[in-house]
Amino acid sequence: MDTPTVPGADRKPVRTRFAPSPTGRMHLGSARSALYPFLLARSTGGTFILRIEDTDQKRFVPGAEQELIEGLRWLGIEYDEGPDVGGPYGPYRQSERREIYREYAWKLVELGHAFPCFCSPERLERVRQEQMANKQNPRYDGACRGLDPDEARRRAASGEKYVIRFKMPKEGSIATTDLLRGTIVTENSALDDSVLLKSDGLPTYHLAAMTDDHLMGITHVIRGSEWLPSQPLHAHIIRAFGWEEPLFVHLSVFLKPSGKGKMSKREAADALKDGHSIYVSDMKNLGYIPEGVLNWIVLMGWGVSEDDVMTLPEMIARFDINKLTPSPAAINFAKLDHFNGVHIRRLPVEELAARLKPYFVNAGLTVRDADLLKVTPLIRERLVTLDDCLPFGAWFFRETVTPKPEELVAKNLTAAQSAQIARQALEILSGLPEITPATAEPPMRALVERSGLSAGQVFGILRVAVTGQTVSPPLFESMEIVGKEKVLARLRQAIEMLEKMG
Ligand code: GLU
């Protein structure tokens, strides 16, 4: 395979980051925003960083950072630098870097590209209302742009409340490039004097992210497309400082399964009733495995033409940033189920058994590892999620089964006729030295022949008698694991039940 050329990677080692705001639960969008920069870093021998952007105190959600870290860990997206692992460019939590942003905001004032603004929220609101009444786009009216810088500094130092705004040029235009979308030229007159430093002394995203991307040596900014409209402002900030610009990639948006619009919180909650979720921690609880989730997510925005089943190392080997696509991706839970099932079957038996064990144990079953290793290959074909192991396999670990009497009666037969078949099966099976597919299947097929019934009728009675349920893994393999003694006891129990019915 050709090694994909990574734009910018020839200049210096790649450094990418995932920069989430801890403002809510970790959803598949956040997982993908972490995965692509991780893959880019790993596929180029670069470095991947976790940076927590927690400067918006109004939106801060306690516990959200921990959920992000656990989500990344569960998915296997390891970062080289971050708040809990440290690194040479820390701190990696923006709330611990506030002095840095203040310094850079004032530096921009000194450079003539920013200005302190003392306008009160009330005044700004009044201006906004007037502009809207005049059908103008609401924006800052420039009242403080012309303040004498020394005077402004004195007022700020004296404790007067202020913000620092970017001094957007009134004329000219700026060209910005997105790797997936090409170059866009924006007239500066369309841009606002955006706030860089808020009155609480904390930076806005615009200042904080651009400063950190520079100080942390980020070469490729991969982020959500909701930031595309801010890119001209970001380019202005970067150029005003004279910094080198990273390459920008804005990812596609996620649409709800119907393909129409974004998924609302309510729709996300509805999906959960269906056993699906857009939140990473739910996916884990619903029995999805990280391999399945990652495979599902990685393809929502990456145009892979060949075989699309991949584990993380395979993704790293094949990742090509040039093949990311800007087209929106509709969330398709059927695909998640598909990939999850495929990856469950790709796991080595020992590994899958280890992952299934907690589900059996949590259901109160006593599980011997040796039995689990025999059961796992029998049920894995049917698993979409790990918790499916219970409906398919819990009966293996129960001492006794309790079939529903009516399910023991085969289709188109009476209870007495079904009991008759069960007695014949019991006689055949008790005569065998042991029950295996090789010993049991031929005489049972002969019984089917002799009885003039269908295999479905005869094996159906046996299945319900031995497993207690109408759906099970392959019957004779299942019997082998259950063992002759229990199989016979369960058949006797079934015969009794059927006789009572008749
Ligand atoms: N904190 C921003 C967000 O969560 C990060 C965007 C970026 O990656 O720069 O949307």
Side-chain angles (χ1 to χ4, degrees):
M1 201 188 303
D2 290 343
T3 316
T5 28
V6 178
D10 48 342
R11 280 188 273 151
K12 44 182 160 164
V14 166
R15 284 177 61 84
T16 61
R17 87 292 191 285
F18 170 44
S21 302
T23 53
R25 301 190 56 193
M26 183 182 188
H27 51 76
L28 62 107
S30 350
R32 193 189 57 174
S33 291
L35 181 56
Y36 289 156
F38 166 82
L39 292 176
L40 180 61
R42 288 291 172 270
S43 63
T44 53
T47 303
F48 175 61
I49 294 157
L50 172 64
R51 183 173 76 219
I52 300 292
E53 302 205 325
D54 57 349
T55 61
D56 190 344
Q57 289 179 319
K58 286 197 280 301
R59 294 177 62 223
F60 181 78
V61 173
E65 177 182 324
Q66 199 49 34
E67 179 172 331
L68 281 159
I69 288 179
E70 278 164 20
L72 292 175
R73 192 171 304 139
W74 181 68
L75 289 167
I77 302 178
E78 284 172 10
Y79 41 91
D80 308 298
E81 299 170 23
D84 54 337
V85 297
Y89 297 86
Y92 294 91
R93 210 176 272 118
Q94 288 186 329
S95 58
E96 294 164 22
R97 300 170 64 81
R98 57 178 83 201
E99 281 318 309
I100 298 175
Y101 309 122
R102 185 192 293 273
E103 184 191 322
Y104 277 91
W106 279 104
K107 199 178 230 170
L108 220 46
V109 174
E110 248 158 63
L111 291 168
H113 291 293
F115 61 93
C117 164
F118 300 91
C119 294
S120 66
E122 296 73 31
R123 177 181 181 276
L124 294 174
E125 181 55 26
R126 229 175 20 250
V127 170
R128 204 178 72 90
Q129 296 293 348
E130 276 165 27
Q131 289 171 332
M132 302 236 293
N134 294 333
K135 305 229 169 336
Q136 293 166 325
N137 280 339
R139 59 199 301 174
Y140 183 61
D141 67 350
C144 295
R145 258 177 91 109
L147 289 181
D148 171 60
D150 292 332
E151 167 68 13
R153 222 181 300 270
R154 255 196 311 281
R155 282 173 70 179
S158 76
E160 201 174 330
K161 255 190 170 344
Y162 69 97
V163 300
I164 291 182
R165 292 180 180 273
F166 190 77
K167 197 175 207 168
M168 189 56 72
K170 294 278 186 209
E171 273 144 31
S173 59
I174 187 150
T176 51
T177 303
D178 169 276
L179 195 62
L180 313 181
R181 296 168 176 82
T183 298
I184 301 171
V185 177
T186 309
E187 293 301 319
N188 293 334
S189 57
L191 302 171
D192 206 353
D193 293 337
S194 298
V195 174
L196 303 178
L197 196 73
K198 296 176 287 183
S199 57
D200 60 5
L202 285 166
T204 57
Y205 167 75
H206 310 301
L207 175 68
M210 294 314 110
T211 304
D212 285 348
D213 286 340
H214 167 68
L215 294 177
M216 296 180 180
I218 300 302
T219 56
H220 296 73
V221 170
I222 302 178
R223 61 183 183 182
S225 58
E226 67 271 26
W227 295 113
L228 197 55
S230 305
Q231 201 188 346
L233 167 64
H234 296 166
H236 270 295
I237 296 172
I238 294 168
R239 291 174 204 182
F241 278 117
W243 294 335
E244 190 177 349
E245 231 167 300
L247 279 163
F248 282 89
V249 180
H250 293 90
L251 301 174
S252 58
V253 291
F254 287 108
L255 301 178
K256 59 179 142 189
S258 64
K260 296 194 187 86
K262 286 201 190 178
M263 195 131 172
S264 69
K265 279 217 167 105
R266 222 202 52 215
E267 287 162 323
D270 283 348
L272 194 57
K273 287 185 209 134
D274 226 17
H276 289 125
S277 180
I278 58 166
Y279 300 110
V280 174
S281 59
D282 285 347
M283 291 186 217
K284 177 182 170 196
N285 295 336
L286 291 168
Y288 290 97
I289 60 172
E291 291 86 343
V293 174
L294 283 171
N295 206 151
W296 180 53
I297 288 172
V298 83
L299 296 175
M300 286 195 257
W302 178 13
V304 178
S305 46
E306 320 120 64
D307 178 20
D308 55 6
V309 175
M310 293 177 275
T311 56
L312 210 46
E314 290 161 337
M315 289 173 201
I316 293 170
R318 288 172 58 185
F319 187 68
D320 182 354
I321 196 169
N322 299 295
K323 296 234 171 83
L324 295 184
T325 141
S327 354
I331 297 169
N332 181 341
F333 289 119
K335 278 199 181 159
L336 170 61
D337 288 347
H338 164 73
F339 283 119
N340 208 63
V342 168
H343 281 284
I344 281 180
R345 284 183 280 287
R346 271 185 149 210
L347 292 178
V349 173
E350 298 73 28
E351 173 64 24
L352 178 56
R355 295 202 207 182
L356 294 178
K357 191 170 178 180
Y359 290 87
F360 290 120
V361 172
N362 290 339
L365 298 164
T366 309
V367 177
R368 285 185 36 232
D369 287 342
D371 290 339
L372 183 58
L373 280 177
K374 287 190 215 148
V375 169
T376 301
L378 290 192
I379 60 174
R380 79 166 151 191
E381 288 308 313
R382 303 209 174 217
L383 303 181
V384 172
T385 49
L386 292 177
D387 54 349
D388 286 342
C389 69
L390 290 175
F392 293 122
W395 64 274
F396 275 113
F397 303 106
R398 298 213 168 96
E399 260 325 291
T400 54
V401 294
T402 36
K404 293 200 186 80
E406 65 278 11
E407 287 183 350
L408 284 167
V409 181
K411 211 169 161 211
N412 300 327
L413 294 190
T414 62
Q417 288 168 319
S418 303
Q420 171 73 9
I421 295 293
R423 274 192 295 270
Q424 290 175 15
L426 175 66
E427 198 183 319
I428 295 166
L429 294 175
S430 26
L432 298 175
E434 54 170 4
I435 298 179
T436 68
T439 60
E441 193 166 350
M444 293 314 292
R445 290 216 176 264
L447 172 63
V448 171
E449 288 286 306
R450 273 203 311 282
S451 63
L453 300 172
S454 71
Q457 287 171 305
V458 173
F459 294 170
I461 300 171
L462 285 180
R463 184 184 310 281
V464 177
V466 175
T467 71
Q469 52 196 48
T470 51
V471 187
S472 81
L475 180 61
F476 295 103
E477 279 89 343
S478 302
M479 285 190 185
E480 179 178 8
I481 297 177
V482 172
K484 181 176 168 186
E485 198 183 322
K486 276 194 200 156
V487 168
L488 299 185
R490 289 177 187 188
L491 265 175
R492 283 190 202 101
Q493 161 180 287
I495 292 166
E496 244 171 66
M497 291 171 97
L498 285 166
E499 281 171 350
K500 271 195 202 132
M501 289 176 83

